């Protein structure tokens, strides 16, 4: 180990501001977070590295769990690397596996403001970056006229409407920027976003260039309804969030549904896992199984026996008429150990 | 677990993951790595070499890893050496992978390099590239061009009558009127997306304040009229993929004529490809204004007409060329094919799913679907159905016109609705 980097193919690494080289004889514990300055990581100059405790993976995992988010090792690594390398994190997965939730929880964990940009078809720079507040400018003109004053400069900051990307740059302590469902925006917007993610600065012709004081932590989510450009994927770390395995889903349910008993949770999770194995049009995500558990618990408290309550609340898990029929046809094997 | 102590003046060894020494036995490398620290240079170089070998193997296996991503991995491994193989696996997967579809290949290479220590089986890279160059006509080529029907020619039978019954045989007038109707119908049905740039418009969602201002200056600051800006609609691209394999030989000329009408109606926004056993881009050949000459030019170009069928392979060839993928992005994609795939239908279904994700809408026209009793029950079509927005029946110009007129409803309806149409029952898929 040394302080230098291996020469990169076709380029060279920034020389790191002193990595902790793994001295320590036979300890195989990584030294992540042990006073390693992130000078070599932050892509933008002048960026504060996130708090040192967050660079430790275990601390990060514990913090996520405290917030009620149970992440598997892959997702933990992904979040850790995104903070560490200062790269955007692209999350893909079926709807309802908690992609958006990652950003929400992360903003609480790192103690930064969450700024969300919801994408849709036809989203343009004016809705994502900034716009001039024309009505306000017009009023200003009229007021100045009625008082007989000079109109003055109408392109000042007070006439600027800040949209999410702009606010993410201006946040004092940096922000967590969630760009939700990027696959819904059109590909031209993707190209524009690429530019923004490249150097975290915006040029407003009337005001000049505005650069991020602290580069935001960027999380992008996509439902794969559309292929993203390779150029965008190249910039991002990538993680596919799969449906959770039995133990993790049970932990999530226990945390999210207070009145749920251990045995009931066990049976319910097994039923959900089996339902996901069916050829459905829309497989239920974590959000649906949590809703189902909540609904069934409420019905059970109202006096229904548990298996009956589960079946009555099935509309919270399956939300398509054809799927409902399919599940009803397989009811025996699905609910055999509930 | 012995770890070489760092030598500050030794370059190119920061990417030495400590975990690499924790290899399963039977691997040649641990022996080298458990030397005394004095010869620490060697294991470091070995580990670095191993990592490079892994990256090279990934490329060879067809997993695209961009250089910045590789740099990310090396930086991470150098800064915080992974505890164990699982950590290294996640480091590598999150930094290098960028599509879940390549996961299987990635896992294979990773296992081969880090868990078994052997060399991976050589995976041939996926064939890429395109063959647009016209090759000499094959003997199987028999797509004679019809004689041109010029105005004033009177009734003219098409020379294509060898293809069996033709609906417009001895009915040149009717055929001409259908063609004209098609050319009029296409522009009206093509979907549009708002363009990125706002232009001055009669009515719009924004005030053109800059303009209003300039007018107001002339009237001493009094606003006398409002100007607006709007985002004018921009027609989306239209991409037509025509099957020219032998099973469709009766319909091929008509289907090409149908594509020709689209190309004439929206020349700048339409792309046409044919596929049989291979893929051919015929946009430029088909763009001659005269139908007859256009078809002649196409028949010189397409060498796999009336041959076998390899829909999956041809579509994958299409999706393997980034330029072509860009044509499909956000476009209205129309595939004209009977979907009768010989052999394994999985590649075709995969390609269709990807086309469906790329395009704005994916419409599939099949000559078989003209029959009222047709049901998409072959394994291939049944598996495809969930990815299609609409499955229609087109076998000649008249049915083509009917389907073109049906497009607006498809474009405004929900996505992937072909499987939910009342007249097509849910395909019986293998229930697990």
């Amino acid at each position: 180990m040394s302080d230098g980097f291996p020469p990169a193919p076709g380029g060279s690494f920034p020389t790191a501001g002193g990595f902790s080289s793994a001295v320590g004889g036979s300890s195989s514990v990584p030294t992540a977070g042990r006073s390693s300055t992130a000078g070599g990581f932050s892509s933008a100059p002048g960026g504060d590295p996130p708090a040192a405790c967050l660079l430790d993976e275990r601390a990060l995992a514990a913090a996520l769990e405290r917030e009620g988010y149970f992440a598997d090792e892959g997702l933990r690594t992904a979040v850790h690397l995104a903070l560490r390398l200062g790269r955007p994190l692209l999350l893909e997965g079926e709807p309802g596996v908690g992609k958006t939730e990652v950003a929400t929880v992360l903003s609480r964990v790192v103690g930064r403001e969450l700024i969300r940009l919801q994408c849709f078809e036809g989203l343009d720079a004016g809705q994502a970056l900034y716009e001039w507040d024309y009505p306000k400018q017009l009023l200003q003109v009229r007021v100045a006229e009625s008082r007989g004053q000079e109109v003055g400069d109408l392109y000042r900051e007070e006439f600027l409407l800040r949209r999410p990307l702009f606010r993410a740059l201006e946040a004092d302590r940096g922000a967590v920027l969630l760009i939700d469902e990027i696959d819904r925006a059109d590909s031209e917007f993707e190209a524009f976003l690429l530019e923004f993610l490249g150097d975290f600065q915006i040029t407003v012709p009337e005001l000049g260039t505005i650069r991020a004081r602290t580069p935001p932590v960027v999380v992008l989510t996509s439902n794969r309804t559309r292929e993203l450009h390779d150029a965008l994927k190249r910039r991002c770390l990538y993680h596919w969030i799969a449906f959770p395995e039995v133990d993790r889903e049970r932990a999530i349910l226990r945390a999210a549904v207070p009145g749920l008993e251990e045995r009931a949770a066990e049976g319910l999770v097994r039923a959900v896992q089996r339902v996901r194995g069916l050829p459905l049009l829309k497989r239920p995500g974590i959000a649906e199984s949590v809703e189902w558990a909540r609904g069934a618990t409420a019905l059970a408290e109202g006096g229904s026996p548990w298996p009956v309550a589960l079946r009555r609340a099935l509309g919270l898990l399956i939300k398509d008429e054809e799927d409902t029929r399919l599940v009803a046809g397989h009811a025996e094997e699905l609910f055999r150990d509930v | 677990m012995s770890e070489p102590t760092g030598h500050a003046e030794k370059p190119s060894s920061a990417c030495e993951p400590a975990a690499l020494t924790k290899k399963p036995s039977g691997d040649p490398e641990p022996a080298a790595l458990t030397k005394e620290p004095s010869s620490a240079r060697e294991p470091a170089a070995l580990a670095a070499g191993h990592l490079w070998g892994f990256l090279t193997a990934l490329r060879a296996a067809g997993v695209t890893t961009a250089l910045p991503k590789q740099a990310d991995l090396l930086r991470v491994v150098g800064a915080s050496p992974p505890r164990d193989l699982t950590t290294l696996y996640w480091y590598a997967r999150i930094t290098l992978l960028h599509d879940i579809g390549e996961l299987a290949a990635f896992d294979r290479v990773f296992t081969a390099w880090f868990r078994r220590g052997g060399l991976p089986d050589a995976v041939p890279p996926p064939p890429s590239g395109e063959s647009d160059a016209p090759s000499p006509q094959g003997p199987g080529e028999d797509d004679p061009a019809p004689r041109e029907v010029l105005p004033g020619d009177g009734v003219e039978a098409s020379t294509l009558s060898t293809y069996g019954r033709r609906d417009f045989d001895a009915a040149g007038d009717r055929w001409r009127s259908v063609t004209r109707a098609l050319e009029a119908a296409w522009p009206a049905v093509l979907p549009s997306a708002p363009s990125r740039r706002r232009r001055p418009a009669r009515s719009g969602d924004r005030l053109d304040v800059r303009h209003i201002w300039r007018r107001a200056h002339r009237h001493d600051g009094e606003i006398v009229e409002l100007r607006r800006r709007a985002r004018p609609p921009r027609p989306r691209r239209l991409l037509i993929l025509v099957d020219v394999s032998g099973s469709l030989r009766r319909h091929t000329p008509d289907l090409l004529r149908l594509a020709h009408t689209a190309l004439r109606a929206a020349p700048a926004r339409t792309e046409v490809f044919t596929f049989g056993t291979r893929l051919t881009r015929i946009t430029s050949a088909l763009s001659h204004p005269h139908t007859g000459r256009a078809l002649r030019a196409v028949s010189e170009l397409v060498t796999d007409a009336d041959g076998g069928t390899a829909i999956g392979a041809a579509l994958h060839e299409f999706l393997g060329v980034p330029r072509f993928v860009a044509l499909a992005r956000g476009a209205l994609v129309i595939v004209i094919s009977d979907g009768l795939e010989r052999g394994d239908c999985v590649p075709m279904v995969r390609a269709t799913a990807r086309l469906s994700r790329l395009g704005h809408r994916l419409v599939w026209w099949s000559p078989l679907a003209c029959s009222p009793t047709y049901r998409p029950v072959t394994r291939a079509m049944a598996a495809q159905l969930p990815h299609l927005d609409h499955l229609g029946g087109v076998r000649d110009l008249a049915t083509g016109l009917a389907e073109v007129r049906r497009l607006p409803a498809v474009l405004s309806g929900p996505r992937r609705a072909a499987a939910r149409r009342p007249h097509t029952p849910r395909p019986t898929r293998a229930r697990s």
Side-chain angles (χ1 to χ4, degrees), chain A residues 1-10 13-14 19-20 22-32 40-41 57-58 72-75 77-78 80-81 84-85 87 89 92 121-125 127 131 134 137-138 141-142 145 154-155 186-189 206 224-230 233-240 277-281 320 322-323 326 330 333, chain B residues 1-18 22 44 52 66-76 78-84 86-87 90-91 93-95 97-101 193-194 196 198 206-207 209-210 212-213 220-223 226 231 234 236 325 329-330 354 356-360 386 415-416 419-420 426 429-432:
Chain A
M1 316 259 172
S2 76
D3 290 343
F5 275 111
F13 284 122
F19 285 119
S20 55
V23 287
S26 58
S27 81
S28 60
V29 181
T31 53
F41 292 138
E57 266 179 89
R58 270 174 249 172
D72 61 357
E73 183 173 9
L75 183 57
T77 312
H80 168 74
L81 292 186
R84 179 128 203 192
L85 296 172
R87 282 211 187 270
L89 173 61
E92 281 191 340
E121 205 165 352
L123 176 72
D124 66 4
Q127 289 148 321
E131 265 174 315
Y134 295 123
Q137 287 173 319
L138 277 172
V141 172
R142 304 309 296 261
E145 275 176 359
L154 282 168
Y155 291 102
D186 26 40
S187 44
E188 289 89 346
F189 182 74
E206 293 87 353
R224 281 175 77 85
T225 59
R226 188 171 68 73
E227 294 253 334
L228 301 179
H229 282 289
D230 281 345
K233 288 179 172 175
R234 265 204 301 276
R235 282 215 168 280
C236 300
L237 298 168
Y238 173 83
H239 182 59
W240 168 269
L278 295 175
L280 299 174
L281 287 174
D320 184 279
E322 286 175 24
D323 290 349
L326 184 61
H330 291 256
E333 57 179 277
Chain B
M1 167 106 208
S2 83
E3 203 175 36
T5 46
H7 291 270
E9 63 286 332
K10 187 179 64 207
S12 83
S13 63
C15 69
E16 175 204 347
K22 287 178 67 175
W52 277 121
L67 286 184
K69 299 197 139 222
Q70 299 188 4
D72 274 347
L73 172 66
L74 297 180
R75 214 178 294 174
V76 169
S80 59
R83 273 189 304 279
D84 49 27
T86 318
T87 313
W90 281 113
Y91 278 0
R93 178 172 149 180
I94 281 163
T95 47
L97 196 73
H98 70 215
D99 194 292
I100 195 70
R196 309 287 313 157
R198 289 174 194 283
R206 300 285 166 83
L207 287 172
V209 179
R210 202 167 278 191
I212 292 172
W213 238 305
D220 298 328
E222 198 61 53
I223 295 169
L226 291 182
R231 293 169 60 185
R234 190 178 45 107
R236 288 178 180 274
V325 170
R329 209 182 281 282
R354 187 160 173 223
S356 163
R357 287 203 303 269
L358 278 169
H360 174 63
R415 287 225 61 180
R416 296 172 184 106
R420 296 163 181 245
R426 190 82 191 283
R429 279 189 276 176
R431 298 257 189 257
S432 50

Side-chain angles (χ1 to χ4, degrees), chain B residues 5 278 293 295 371:
Chain B
T5 46
R278 45 175 279 261
R293 289 197 196 150
L295 290 197
S371 138

Side-chain angles (χ1 to χ4, degrees), chain A residues 8-57:
Chain A
S12 65
F13 284 122
T15 46
F19 285 119
S20 55
S21 47
V23 287
S26 58
S27 81
S28 60
V29 181
T31 53
R34 230 182 59 190
S35 76
S36 76
T37 53
F41 292 138
S42 59
S43 51
D48 283 334
C53 68
L54 283 172
L55 288 177
D56 188 349
E57 266 179 89

